């Protein structure tokens, strides 16, 4: 849940080090992390609700510190003092990105994401998408290949949240490791998947943009690809067979 700022040339400026400190780290919103995972403590604190309530106050205090230093508005202000394009390169994980989108999304927001496949909807990530939609935001997903894994869950999101979820495929299968995420005009992310650092979660390296013109350029590129893509319908999702299904097994063997 912590992104590492990559030490490029511009980051060696004394002004940049003064603004971000010595460790050059970007934490995710602690309140969003707490709201996502606190239900797992139900089995731990079934008879003792006081510790959970105390943690609520603790994370509210962490949220105040986070907003004072790492919110998109503060990042826009800090980067404007250090570099013209207000962009920063970092190494991060998928939960860090999803948590950042969740914490800054609000009613009427649009989260635009370009992914290679549907792995981003595995169990460990599902709660983020639902919480983003519960806040009244919209999600536009552009998938680079017709991956059948997790499409049933995408169908569930489309049925449950109606027009708030739109999913399309690029006209040709995309084998690149590129990822794009845009949230309104707050920030945009252009990244690539790297070799996994752990068995649980792959690593990503990319650039975070807080400059309004850069965000607009990335969004325009996304919209151009969106216009050329193919929309997936509920009928296509419902016709997908499970991975274990084999039509040959359902037929009687031929007798010679």
């Amino acid at each position: 849940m912590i992104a590492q700022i990559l030490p490029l040339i511009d980051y060696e400026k004394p002004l940049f080090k003064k603004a971000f400190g010595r460790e050059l780290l970007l934490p995710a919103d602690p309140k969003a992390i707490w709201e996502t995972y606190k239900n797992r403590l139900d089995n731990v604190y079934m008879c003792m609700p006081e510790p959970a309530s105390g943690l609520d106050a603790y994370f509210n205090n962490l949220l105040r510190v986070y907003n004072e230093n790492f919110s998109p508005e503060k990042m826009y202000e800090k980067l404007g003092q250090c570099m013209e394009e207000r962009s920063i390169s970092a190494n991060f994980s998928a939960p860090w990105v999803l948590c950042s989108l969740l914490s800054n999304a609000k009613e009427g927001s649009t989260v635009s994401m370009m992914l290679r496949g549907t792995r981003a909807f595995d169990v460990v990530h599902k709660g983020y998408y639902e919480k983003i939609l519960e806040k009244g935001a919209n999600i536009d997903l552009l998938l680079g290949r017709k991956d059948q894994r997790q499409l049933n869950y995408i169908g569930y999101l489309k049925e449950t949240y109606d027009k708030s979820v739109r999913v399309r495929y690029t006209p040709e299968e995309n084998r690149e490791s590129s990822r794009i995420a845009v949230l309104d005009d707050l920030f945009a992310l252009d990244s690539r998947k790297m070799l996994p650092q752990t068995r649980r979660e792959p690593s990503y390296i990319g650039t975070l943009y807080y400059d309004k013109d850069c965000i607009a350029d990335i969004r325009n590129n996304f919209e151009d690809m969106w216009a050329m893509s193919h929309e997936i319908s509920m009928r296509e999702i419902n016709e997908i067979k499970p991975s274990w299904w084999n039509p040959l097994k359902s037929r009687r063997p031929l007798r010679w």
Side-chain angles (χ1 to χ4, degrees), residues 156-181:
Y156 160 77
L157 291 179
K158 289 174 67 68
E159 287 185 332
T160 304
Y161 298 98
D162 194 21
K163 297 180 180 179
S164 297
V165 180
R166 298 190 300 170
V167 183
R168 299 177 74 96
Y169 285 108
T170 53
E172 297 181 0
E173 182 174 341
N174 182 8
R175 298 185 178 275
E176 297 181 358
S177 58
S178 171
R179 307 290 192 276
I180 290 177

Side-chain angles (χ1 to χ4, degrees), residues 16-53:
F16 185 90
K17 291 184 176 181
K18 181 179 179 180
F20 286 90
R22 177 178 56 85
E23 295 182 336
L24 299 181
L25 301 175
L26 294 177
D29 182 348
K31 185 67 172 180
I33 299 173
W34 170 239
E35 293 294 338
T36 303
Y37 291 101
K38 70 177 181 180
N39 292 334
R40 300 186 181 183
L41 297 178
D42 290 344
N43 296 329
V44 180
Y45 296 121
M46 286 188 296
C47 301
M48 297 184 299
E50 292 82 5
S53 61

